[in-house]
Amino acid sequence: RRGLRTGAVYAACVSTSLGPFYRGWLVTRELQDAEDLWSALRSGFVAKIGIDAALRAVADSVRAMHAEGVYHADLNLKNILLRTEDGSVVSYVIDFDRAKLFLGRLPAALRSKNLARLLRSARKLDPEQKYLSAAAWNQFLSFYDDGPKT
């Protein structure tokens, strides 16, 4: 309902257990021909579409999520999907089970915390920065800060 790119939800179920614990199931539509960002970096998909196009698409999705007041508690390279649609690269964010919603834009401190979480994920998966260099991360931040290009 907030206009964010994510998988279409077909069904959801939550069952409570003891105390604050619960089990949840979510059935979503498969995004055909999408790869998570980590796989896309390693498979050559990002090289094929261009690192700048991929980073801009991801930055646009993360910025839109933050603009809608969504804090993604598990923002990582595997929870961001990339695919081409009508000749453009688009990014989807998935796995919102621990997300928190805020009124208005996400506060700056939480935006920074979310971006730091994404960087930790990148450095954990790619400690040698073979697929996502420091320069690429800085380019991503530049795209995030600059806003969408029309």
Side-chain angles (χ1 to χ4, degrees):
R1 287 187 277 167
R2 292 177 183 242
L4 302 176
R5 282 203 165 118
T6 190
V9 176
Y10 288 149
C13 179
V14 175
S15 69
T16 57
S17 57
L18 295 175
F21 301 103
Y22 69 92
R23 290 196 78 144
W25 298 267
L26 192 63
V27 178
T28 60
R29 180 177 171 205
E30 179 183 2
L31 289 168
Q32 293 287 325
D33 302 320
E35 288 189 55
D36 68 66
L37 181 53
W38 177 233
S39 296
L41 285 162
R42 292 180 299 140
S43 73
F45 179 69
V46 167
K48 177 181 158 193
I49 61 175
I51 187 75
D52 281 359
L55 294 175
R56 184 176 300 284
V58 171
D60 289 348
S61 290
V62 173
R63 183 186 334 90
M65 181 179 73
H66 290 165
E68 290 297 325
V70 178
Y71 176 80
H72 195 299
D74 192 22
L75 189 61
N76 65 65
L77 299 184
K78 294 184 177 187
N79 285 336
I80 298 171
L81 304 179
L82 286 175
R83 72 178 186 172
T84 55
E85 293 178 9
D86 299 322
S88 297
V89 181
V90 293
S91 169
Y92 292 78
V93 180
I94 61 169
D95 197 9
F96 287 94
D97 63 315
R98 295 180 9 215
K100 291 183 177 31
L101 295 175
F102 293 82
L103 292 175
R105 188 171 188 217
L106 195 64
L110 290 177
R111 290 192 310 266
S112 294
K113 185 177 177 181
N114 228 189
L115 293 172
R117 170 71 179 92
L118 183 57
L119 179 59
R120 278 193 312 279
S121 165
R123 295 304 171 244
K124 178 181 176 183
L125 293 169
D126 186 18
E128 296 172 3
Q129 299 179 28
K130 179 178 176 182
Y131 300 103
L132 191 67
S133 67
W137 176 256
N138 288 333
Q139 185 66 35
F140 164 78
L141 291 177
S142 174
F143 291 148
Y144 176 87
D145 289 339
D146 288 347
K149 301 297 182 213
T150 55

